[in-house]
Amino acid sequence: MTEPFGARLRHAMDERGPLCVGIDPHSALLTAWGLNDDIAGLERFSRTVVEALAGRVAVLKPQSAFFERFGSRGIAVLEKSVEEARAAGALVVMDAKRGDIGSTMAAYAETFLHKDAPLFSDALTVSPYLGYGSLKPAVDLAREHGAGLFVLALTSNPEGGEVQHAVRTEDAAGRDVGATMLAHLAAENAGEEPLGSFGAVVGATLGDLSSYDLQINGPLLAPGIGAQGATPSDLPAVFGAAVRHVVPNVSRGVLRHGPDVVALRDASDRFADEIRAAVEAA
């Protein structure tokens, strides 16, 4: 790859629209598709989503846990899904939310961010709650191999606030933890064009975020569109001037239309059009 993740993401969003669709083969969804909750069902589900969407959406985001629960055979399906999605032109964000220290964090980084790894992805979600500095092995390897990170900053789950809104007594500016993570990411992305490769996860369901500086010169992965209650029209109010760098994630809102390939494509196209319209109107 000749371009870093941020540049490739910006181009993909401009060409295909900013929609990110999750690949979330949890048991209830497999059942709703008429599939068994087994490796054959997992493989059929994943292959169908990739076939339907990898050639038209900017980003696909497999949730690693739903593959890992099937052991080595599930990981093999995940490897194939990543390979085929990237071959069809979609960027792959691996939703694994890894976070640890030292050599363990380095091993997680090598799993998903080394260009020769079977699970190499364009970007990886990571948890910074052992301290932002604990992510350095992932930051360094992402830079080396043209990949990116999405760091949990202001998540959509209600429980997140007890950590992310906590104010650090040693922070002279009185910033909470979420704001601190955003500041770290802004520093990582300084001077990058057209977009930095180090993004934040910021929930689309959080309402007014005007007290936070979301202008980190990097992408904002925004879960919560669709089944969690947020709509594309909410994006400008939530993200303000940073809305052009938002990558809205929709999972159930699209996946519930499977296993019909045409229905999946129609659903993703509707969300993509609504998101594009909302962003252009902002």
Side-chain angles (χ1 to χ4, degrees):
M1 295 178 297
T2 58
E3 288 185 306
F5 170 69
R8 291 183 287 117
L9 177 62
R10 182 71 267 166
H11 297 328
M13 292 167 67
D14 290 344
E15 290 177 6
R16 296 186 173 196
L19 179 64
C20 167
V21 177
I23 306 179
D24 296 356
H26 55 75
S27 57
L29 196 48
L30 292 176
T31 300
W33 277 35
L35 301 173
N36 292 329
D37 187 18
D38 58 17
I39 197 69
L42 175 74
E43 189 170 19
R44 170 72 186 280
F45 179 95
S46 301
R47 181 181 294 118
T48 301
V49 176
V50 171
E51 176 190 348
L53 303 179
R56 62 203 306 123
V57 302
V59 181
L60 286 175
K61 183 176 70 64
Q63 170 48 258
S64 180
F66 293 128
F67 296 82
E68 292 177 44
R69 67 193 183 101
F70 291 103
S72 61
R73 293 185 300 166
I75 297 299
V77 174
L78 180 58
E79 290 176 3
K80 191 67 172 176
S81 298
V82 171
E83 177 187 0
E84 292 180 349
R86 298 187 72 240
L91 299 179
V92 171
V93 173
M94 183 62 69
D95 195 355
K97 298 183 179 70
R98 297 301 197 252
D100 214 305
I101 61 173
S103 59
T104 309
M105 189 66 234
Y108 281 139
E110 289 169 5
T111 301
F112 299 105
L113 301 172
H114 193 290
K115 66 180 178 60
D116 296 326
L119 284 170
F120 176 71
S121 303
D122 296 282
L124 171 69
T125 61
V126 291
S127 174
Y129 296 115
L130 288 172
Y132 183 84
S134 68
L135 300 179
K136 187 176 187 303
V139 171
D140 290 347
L141 202 63
R143 288 192 188 279
E144 180 179 350
H145 294 290
L149 298 177
F150 283 100
V151 177
L152 303 180
L154 297 167
T155 58
S156 57
N157 63 304
E159 304 88 349
E162 68 183 44
V163 174
Q164 296 156 20
H165 296 175
V167 176
R168 302 167 59 243
T169 56
E170 65 271 31
D171 190 325
R175 295 177 299 186
D176 65 17
V177 172
T180 300
M181 297 307 150
L182 293 169
H184 281 301
L185 292 167
E188 298 285 4
N189 294 321
E192 296 293 331
E193 295 181 359
L195 189 66
S197 297
F198 299 95
V201 178
V202 179
T205 58
L206 296 178
D208 184 6
L209 292 175
S210 58
S211 61
Y212 290 93
D213 185 1
L214 300 177
Q215 297 275 37
I216 63 170
N217 191 34
L220 302 171
L221 182 63
I225 302 290
Q228 293 185 49
T231 67
S233 62
D234 294 327
L235 294 172
V238 175
F239 293 96
V243 71
R244 186 170 176 268
H245 299 325
V246 171
V247 185
N249 177 70
V250 180
S251 295
R252 283 172 288 176
V254 171
L255 298 178
R256 67 184 179 86
H257 295 279
D260 185 273
V261 167
V262 173
L264 286 167
R265 288 173 176 166
D266 287 346
S268 72
D269 288 350
R270 285 195 298 272
F271 274 108
D273 289 345
E274 291 175 12
I275 291 165
R276 185 182 289 107
V279 171
E280 289 176 354

